[in-house]
Amino acid sequence: MTKRFEIAYLLKEDVKALLNTNIIVKGWVRTKRGNKNVAFIAVNDGSIIHNIQVVADPAKFEEELRRITTGACIGVEGKLVESQGSGQAVEIQAEKIVVYGEADPDSYPLQKKGHSMEFLREIGHLRLRTNTFGAVMRMRHEMAYAIHTFFHERGFFYFHTPLITASDCEGAGEMFHVSTLDPENPPRDKEGKIDWEQDFFGKFTALTVSGQLEGELGATSLGKIYTFGPTFRAENSNTPRHLAEFWMIEPEMAFYDLDSLTQLEEEFIKYLVRWALDHCMDDLEFLNKMIDNSLIERLKSVVDTDFVRLPYTEGIKILEEAAAKGHKFEFPVSWGVDLASEHERYLVEHHFKKPVIMIDYPKEIKAFYMKQNDDGKTVQGTDVLFPQIGEIIGGSVREESYDKLLKRIEELNIPMKDMWWYLDTRRYGSCPHAGFGLGFERLMLFVTGMANIRDVIPFPRTPGNANF
Ligand code: 4AD
Ligand code: MG
């Protein structure tokens, strides 16, 4: 029986022993060219960015070659030989060709190269077959694998937090409801309000915006955990950096303080970027050529630089001075404002020219759970700010004092019925702890050089769009 090989194997491994033997490859046709004496078919099977070249005799395969056009799926059996042409080491001399699926050239949308990203989003079911999306999706896998490896090597446990929850971790009120009540005729209580007690879970529930609160239960029992799963935000942000459904990695560590937290944040990102450089060079070279020609240089520079630690108050001073010297910001800056992405990018791209970990934010602009500083004004929150991306990580040391946490929950009117179990971690064996969340697609933007977050996830969910 002739054996099938994946193209990545044939082009990457030492295949001397296979030369001049018969093998099978299967995949999708990228291009077909040639003349009456010889036909060349470039086949890609998704295992690697490169195609393998199939050489076929037009006289022998007249019928098959007529059916083979860009996008068709074929299987080829033939002899693996050293390539005559430049550009590839080996090629296949076809002896048998099977056409699994034709792709009608009059309607198949991916005929020529150079479609716009907007157009490709409209054909999200087919764009995965382009070189660009192949590269991005292979890198997505590599990054996910690197994330699990990083934490496993350091003794963290992968901890699964629920997607359906009753608590709004970030307190922004941007949750998607989960309900099986009849929307036309929901049950009502005595006051005429919807009676969530009669809903599936006996209470109001929604899709989670973060696994952190449950993650803290993991950290305060197992020591070090991380989550890696989908999160949902019903925020109406139509920007190149926001999704309504995105993946987040949330490590949570007992006995970490602000220093050890920011150290881990920096080590983690550098590890992932280094992994991309070590394991994804074929795809990176393609993206560097086609999408962003400073990509590889930028990735290398992040691996080699120390990230800045910048207290919010100092960051505001730098921005105020820039504004005073005439730098135009769309949104005004003063102590207390939540930084806009233009401010973050000014600090990272103009002022420091390297990643910045901003710390000690005003408590009013951060979530209730962050550890309060003695100044009574700031909390030990950390945002990691990156060139082009802005915020890539948000994290903090957690408030471990029961009294301070309760007071903050009351100040913010967070309903106690949702928080009793979280407060119990501070009532029984409370411990100093810290954690952060890395937006997986923000990381993917950085390591691929893609400009829009809709193009680094297979099937993006954004306001007004849940196709495919
Ligand atoms: O800063 P955020 O809101 O922090 C949290 O959710 C914390 N509970 C994390 C923690 O401490 N465990 O979100 C964390 C990260 C952001 O820095 C950003 O990278 C990403 O999640 N993110 C988004 N990515 C894509 N689309 C969105 N709408 C995002 N919102 C946040
Ligand atoms: Mg944030």
Side-chain angles (χ1 to χ4, degrees):
M1 265 273 286
T2 315
K3 201 173 150 204
R4 177 186 161 224
F5 289 89
E6 289 187 353
I7 296 168
Y9 182 84
L10 296 174
L11 298 185
K12 279 292 187 199
E13 304 299 321
D14 179 3
V15 291
K16 274 196 207 79
L18 288 176
L19 284 175
N20 299 310
T21 70
N22 260 25
I23 59 153
I24 292 172
V25 295
K26 298 180 179 182
W28 293 269
V29 173
R30 288 288 203 258
T31 56
K32 182 186 73 175
R33 63 192 175 83
N35 52 41
K36 26 184 221 316
N37 301 318
V38 62
F40 299 105
I41 310 165
V43 178
N44 188 283
D45 66 4
S47 62
I48 187 171
I49 187 94
H50 306 297
N51 308 323
I52 197 153
Q53 174 158 283
V54 174
V55 186
D57 175 358
K60 186 169 171 194
F61 295 108
E62 196 189 337
E63 158 74 7
E64 289 85 350
L65 286 170
R66 198 176 39 72
R67 298 171 62 204
I68 289 173
T69 54
T70 295
C73 182
I74 65 172
V76 179
E77 181 172 344
K79 202 193 285 175
L80 187 73
V81 297
E82 277 182 69
S83 179
Q84 309 299 306
S86 59
Q88 63 273 324
V90 291
E91 61 190 24
I92 297 169
Q93 289 171 348
E95 286 172 16
K96 202 163 121 194
I97 300 180
V98 183
V99 181
Y100 294 116
E102 295 177 24
D104 176 11
D106 292 331
S107 61
Y108 185 60
L110 291 172
Q111 290 303 334
K112 47 181 191 348
K113 294 181 182 144
H115 293 297
S116 73
M117 290 297 155
E118 289 76 15
F119 172 73
L120 291 174
R121 266 172 237 147
E122 287 167 23
I123 50 162
H125 57 310
L126 295 173
R127 70 175 184 171
L128 298 166
R129 295 198 195 165
T130 62
N131 286 330
T132 300
F133 283 88
V136 170
M137 295 311 147
R138 277 186 297 274
M139 286 189 69
R140 225 184 126 95
H141 162 78
E142 279 290 344
M143 289 296 100
Y145 185 67
I147 285 161
H148 287 299
T149 308
F150 176 88
F151 287 121
H152 184 74
E153 283 172 349
R154 284 159 186 74
F156 284 68
F157 299 108
Y158 184 23
F159 187 69
H160 297 103
T161 51
L163 299 192
I164 299 174
T165 173
S167 46
D168 182 359
C169 173
E170 295 306 301
E174 293 167 336
M175 300 179 90
F176 290 101
H177 300 175
V178 172
S179 171
T180 54
L181 293 181
D182 177 2
E184 303 281 346
N185 187 23
R188 305 256 171 204
D189 61 16
K190 287 196 198 81
E191 287 154 33
K193 296 206 174 104
I194 294 180
D195 185 4
W196 299 108
E197 280 182 22
Q198 293 188 48
D199 204 348
F200 189 91
F201 296 105
K203 54 157 67 170
F204 178 89
T205 51
L207 295 178
T208 191
V209 297
S210 159
Q212 176 196 324
L213 301 185
E214 292 90 351
E216 288 186 43
L217 306 185
T220 54
S221 49
L222 298 164
K224 300 197 300 279
I225 62 94
Y226 69 105
T227 72
F228 186 177
T231 34
F232 307 88
R233 297 199 183 176
E235 54 184 329
N236 203 359
S237 308
N238 257 306
T239 81
R241 296 176 306 111
H242 286 90
L243 290 165
E245 176 180 293
F246 64 97
W247 289 65
M248 187 155 50
I249 299 98
E250 296 185 272
E252 192 71 34
M253 299 75 62
F255 314 117
Y256 271 48
D257 61 8
L258 190 62
D259 274 348
S260 40
L261 173 67
T262 57
Q263 257 171 46
L264 185 76
E265 291 171 344
E266 178 167 353
E267 188 191 346
F268 182 45
I269 300 199
K270 284 181 168 167
Y271 181 95
L272 298 178
V273 174
R274 200 176 299 118
W275 186 289
L277 288 166
D278 289 346
H279 297 266
C280 309
M281 206 27 111
D282 282 341
D283 289 323
L284 282 177
E285 277 169 357
F286 175 83
L287 294 166
N288 197 76
K289 193 166 98 202
M290 304 301 288
I291 302 290
D292 176 351
N293 53 29
S294 55
L295 172 63
I296 293 178
E297 193 188 299
R298 199 162 56 243
L299 297 188
K300 285 186 175 156
S301 84
V302 160
V303 169
D304 294 333
T305 20
D306 292 333
F307 296 6
V308 177
R309 306 288 189 279
L310 178 70
Y312 170 92
T313 303
E314 280 176 36
I316 291 293
K317 272 194 211 128
I318 294 169
L319 292 166
E320 281 175 336
E321 278 164 23
K325 284 191 192 133
H327 189 91
K328 289 268 172 292
F329 291 116
E330 191 185 338
F331 299 99
V333 215
S334 62
W335 199 94
V337 300
D338 203 356
L339 295 186
S341 122
E342 56 170 344
H343 305 133
E344 297 174 342
R345 294 184 61 171
Y346 179 87
L347 291 169
V348 173
E349 290 165 26
H350 295 270
H351 191 83
F352 291 105
K353 300 193 167 58
K354 47 177 147 167
V356 170
I357 307 186
M358 194 173 257
I359 55 175
D360 294 333
Y361 283 84
K363 68 173 185 221
E364 281 74 23
I365 59 171
K366 288 292 181 192
F368 74 95
Y369 51 70
M370 295 195 182
K371 185 177 171 68
Q372 296 161 34
N373 280 320
D374 293 337
D375 62 11
K377 293 193 317 200
T378 59
V379 289
Q380 294 185 14
T382 73
D383 278 7
V384 181
L385 310 177
F386 252 52
Q388 324 242 258
I389 315 292
E391 179 190 337
I392 192 164
I393 280 182
S396 81
V397 181
R398 316 308 186 190
E399 181 56 69
E400 85 249 29
S401 146
Y402 178 84
D403 292 335
K404 285 187 187 168
L405 187 62
L406 181 63
K407 191 158 161 271
R408 194 77 190 121
I409 286 176
E410 285 167 355
E411 278 166 11
L412 293 170
N413 288 318
I414 299 171
M416 275 308 287
K417 69 174 178 5
D418 298 332
M419 281 301 151
W420 62 271
W421 54 272
Y422 183 69
L423 275 161
D424 266 6
T425 54
R426 276 65 169 173
R427 277 175 68 188
Y428 307 117
S430 185
C431 81
H433 62 290
F436 66 84
L438 168 74
F440 188 51
E441 286 75 21
R442 300 257 175 107
L443 171 78
M444 289 311 302
L445 281 176
F446 185 71
V447 295
T448 60
M450 298 293 281
N452 194 312
I453 200 161
R454 293 165 177 79
D455 302 328
V456 293
I457 186 166
F459 307 105
R461 266 64 186 126
T462 50
N465 173 43
N467 281 333
F468 314 112

